[in-house]
Amino acid sequence: MLTDTLGIHHLTGIVRNAQKNVTFYRDVLGLRLVKQTVNFNEQFTRHLFYGDETGSPGTALTFFPYPAEDDGRPGKPQISTASLVIPPGSVSYWQDRLTEHDVSVEGPSERFDETVLRFSDPDGTDLELVTGESPVEPWADGSVPTRHAIRGIHGVTLLSTSVFVTASVLDTLGFDLVAQEGDRVRYQAPGDRATVVDLLDRDASFGREGAGSLHHVAVRVPDEEQLYEWHDLFRERGYDVSRVKDRHFFYSLYVREPGGILFELATEQPGVAAGVDSDALGESLFLPPWLEEDREMIEGQLPPLDLSEPETN
């Protein structure tokens, strides 16, 4: 029997430069680079994972760097913004830190009793830091003092071509309508982290996927068996749904709902830290067993990546 998702599993974006991506998300934002691997469908493209100490569900941001990728264009249907949780008393710290790193910051502004700072990564991905409570323990050995560190994903903002259809999909997944503020409608899952999806009910031009775009949002399901049930449900409704895929760190499927948003449904286990010493996470290129025999060729094709540790502040 299907159970409601508990919230967001991970977010995946498209960027252009892997080195700038590491510098920003690890060194500036203070997240841990928990896994460097490749796109299993395009083995000469890196796939970078950031999060808490182990990249646990609800904390993971992942990126595909495509050096020749054109800029994305904001619009519908897209995941327009990714939001991350910071402690309520850390707004001034983050304003100062981002400004010191030449990042343009908008805000602070107030929304749903939260304080929000808006900014973009080097590729133009729209990001927010949102005050709130979270059970996530931040990466203690990162470049940001623990008391100010990011505590996982807060949520996403969606621009849909059909907000009512996308709202119905969110309801099916277990997100409840909890608030509205102007043209922003908030849905929330029943979990303890990464539970927020905001729908924008506004006119917008059509966007274009590219560098700076968020490719998909993944939600959490308990096990592989439920993925097959979700597959059958979406297929019965005529949605564009993939087969269940083995992503090594989890099993997943993808569904492009009629409002145009690409959702992934991903299992919480085994996780990106499975089978690896926690102290060594992210230090070397991980390849799944079916690509290991081609390691020399793959490593020879990937642009170099300097993983020298940043100075802590």
Side-chain angles (χ1 to χ4, degrees):
M1 183 175 177
L2 288 173
T3 58
D4 291 344
T5 179
L6 295 178
I8 294 169
H9 185 282
H10 69 269
L11 303 173
T12 295
I14 299 171
V15 296
R16 190 175 290 114
N17 185 288
Q19 190 65 62
K20 289 183 178 179
N21 191 254
V22 170
T23 299
F24 187 78
Y25 285 91
R26 187 194 67 173
D27 302 355
V28 178
L29 295 190
L31 303 178
R32 188 180 192 186
L33 176 63
V34 291
K35 187 72 67 176
Q36 50 161 324
T37 181
V38 295
N39 183 337
F40 294 165
N41 298 325
E42 300 177 38
Q43 62 193 33
F44 300 122
T45 299
R46 290 188 186 275
H47 194 181
L48 303 173
F49 288 69
Y50 305 89
D52 63 359
E53 182 176 2
T54 61
S56 60
T59 75
L61 300 175
T62 92
F63 296 91
F64 296 123
Y66 293 102
E69 185 71 24
D70 290 335
D71 286 341
R73 183 178 64 238
K76 62 181 182 182
Q78 280 185 1
I79 304 161
S80 65
T81 309
S83 304
L84 308 173
V85 181
I86 59 171
S90 297
V91 173
S92 295
Y93 170 85
W94 279 103
Q95 280 183 289
D96 293 342
R97 180 174 180 82
L98 292 170
T99 300
E100 288 168 3
H101 285 86
D102 297 321
V103 178
S104 178
V105 183
E106 295 181 19
S109 59
E110 299 300 316
R111 187 176 69 208
F112 295 120
D113 298 323
E114 302 159 342
T115 302
V116 180
L117 296 176
R118 293 181 55 85
F119 58 102
S120 299
D121 74 5
D123 286 281
T125 310
D126 285 334
L127 302 169
E128 294 175 338
L129 296 178
V130 181
T131 57
E133 301 299 329
S134 171
V136 171
E137 291 293 331
W139 172 228
D141 293 331
S143 58
V144 174
T146 304
R147 67 184 182 278
H148 296 303
I150 290 169
R151 283 152 166 76
I153 295 167
H154 175 266
V156 291
T157 301
L158 307 181
L159 268 174
S160 167
T161 59
S162 177
V163 293
F164 296 106
V165 174
T166 302
S168 176
V169 173
L170 290 172
D171 180 71
T172 298
L173 290 170
F175 288 80
D176 293 328
L177 173 61
V178 295
Q180 181 169 356
E181 198 172 274
D183 60 6
R184 181 179 293 268
V185 185
R186 173 154 295 185
Y187 287 78
Q188 194 157 7
D192 64 350
R193 66 181 74 182
T195 59
V196 169
V197 174
D198 286 350
L199 270 178
L200 295 181
D201 186 8
R202 65 175 64 156
D203 291 332
S205 59
F206 282 89
R208 180 182 63 207
E209 188 173 273
S213 298
L214 290 163
H215 184 263
H216 65 266
V217 53
V219 297
R220 295 150 59 188
V221 299
D223 53 48
E224 185 183 1
E225 181 180 350
Q226 287 217 7
L227 285 177
Y228 287 98
E229 294 188 48
W230 281 111
H231 173 275
D232 292 346
L233 174 64
F234 287 125
R235 188 170 182 179
E236 288 169 5
R237 295 185 179 184
Y239 291 1
D240 181 10
V241 61
S242 76
R243 61 179 176 83
V244 174
K245 299 176 182 287
D246 180 0
R247 295 309 193 196
H248 191 78
F249 314 121
F250 46 80
Y251 290 89
S252 72
L253 63 80
Y254 300 83
V255 57
R256 178 81 68 177
E257 52 88 21
I261 306 299
L262 182 60
F263 286 94
E264 182 180 8
L265 284 72
T267 61
E268 299 197 49
Q269 300 298 329
V272 296
V276 180
D277 181 354
S278 177
D279 291 339
L281 284 172
E283 293 182 358
S284 60
L285 181 69
F286 171 85
L287 294 176
W290 60 88
L291 292 178
E292 187 59 50
E293 64 180 323
D294 296 324
R295 174 176 288 275
E296 184 176 356
M297 177 180 64
I298 291 171
E299 289 185 331
Q301 293 293 320
L302 293 174
L305 190 61
D306 181 5
L307 296 179
S308 301
E309 288 297 321
E311 294 183 4
T312 58
N313 293 320

